[in-house]
Amino acid sequence: TAFTALVGRYKKPLYRYVHRYVRDEAEAQDVLQEALIAAWRGLKGYDPNRPLEFWLRRIALNKCRDRARRLAVRRILLPWSHGPRETAAPDPAPPIDESLVESEQLKIARDAIDALPGKLRDPLILTAIEGLSQAEAAEILGITMKAVEGAVYRAKKQLTEVLKLERPSPQPRMRPMPSRRTEPRFCKIDSITW
């Protein structure tokens, strides 16, 4: 059918979009399937004057939010249970030092994005990560372009502050101070002289 052909066209981008929210392959597949089923059931409510991709992304975003609410309720009711992220198997390949540093930085950035409130996180993911314009993000989220612009600005500002705190402070370098004396040399640590 025509819907199957259209879904085939948008399945991969929608999967990537959902995976950025849930960060688990199996969960992303489940959420994507829920979104596609909801799209099929709500096909009569689709406005053909609007882009299908935005409509599908909106449904997928709502399914991601539904999943997050369900997980939050489970954590409250069953505090000993863990979501899929905590139980995901680690990558068996041993990391190279550089990639370890990059993956740690990436993890810190992902965690910082996850910690953002949904009103800031959603516009940021749509524009900065998915590459949509502010107008497209506004249409998907059902808010104004100005609201998207403000949310992205505040999200970037919060991320900058959080990532500054997460970044390890540089170790002070010790260097000998020039001395014309025959006495033992003093060392200077940044601006403190001993």
Side-chain angles (χ1 to χ4, degrees):
T1 67
F3 183 76
T4 305
L6 288 173
V7 165
R9 178 178 174 195
Y10 294 111
K11 188 174 182 177
K12 285 183 182 181
L14 279 175
Y15 172 78
R16 285 191 310 267
Y17 178 65
V18 169
H19 189 268
R20 286 191 175 105
Y21 277 92
V22 299
R23 300 248 170 71
D24 180 76
E25 290 180 22
E27 284 289 315
Q29 288 289 346
D30 290 346
V31 171
L32 176 62
Q33 185 173 0
E34 289 175 22
L36 292 175
I37 289 170
W40 173 255
R41 288 181 180 157
L43 199 54
K44 290 180 183 175
Y46 169 65
D47 178 7
N49 295 325
R50 303 178 113 198
L52 179 66
E53 180 183 8
F54 297 165
W55 183 68
L56 291 172
R57 281 181 188 255
R58 179 66 183 235
I59 292 170
L61 175 63
N62 288 335
K63 293 301 175 184
C64 289
R65 289 175 175 168
D66 291 346
R67 177 192 167 275
R69 281 190 289 272
R70 283 192 308 267
L71 287 177
V73 168
R74 284 185 198 146
R75 279 190 216 114
I76 292 169
L77 297 177
L78 303 170
W80 58 86
S81 69
H82 299 288
R85 264 201 254 157
E86 290 86 5
T87 60
D91 188 3
I96 302 172
D97 288 343
E98 273 185 34
S99 66
L100 179 63
V101 170
E102 288 176 10
S103 67
E104 281 300 312
Q105 291 170 343
L106 186 59
K107 182 185 179 318
I108 290 169
R110 283 181 179 165
D111 290 345
I113 291 171
D114 286 346
L116 288 171
K119 290 181 178 183
L120 300 181
R121 183 183 59 243
D122 298 341
L124 179 73
I125 288 175
L126 287 170
T127 57
I129 298 174
E130 289 291 316
L132 297 179
S133 70
Q134 289 181 356
E136 293 167 335
E139 187 171 340
I140 290 170
L141 296 171
I143 58 178
T144 65
M145 260 180 39
K146 198 69 175 167
V148 169
E149 181 182 349
V152 169
Y153 172 79
R154 288 189 308 279
K156 287 180 178 180
K157 187 175 179 182
Q158 281 187 19
L159 285 175
T160 301
E161 291 171 9
V162 168
L163 294 176
K164 280 181 185 175
L165 294 175
E166 295 289 333
R167 193 175 293 146
S169 59
Q171 296 296 322
R173 290 180 280 154
M174 294 185 68
R175 54 190 178 274
M177 290 183 53
S179 175
R180 296 184 187 147
R181 304 179 196 160
T182 57
E183 302 170 351
R185 292 183 169 193
F186 292 95
C187 291
K188 182 175 182 180
I189 300 179
D190 286 337
S191 63
I192 303 170
T193 306
W194 297 3

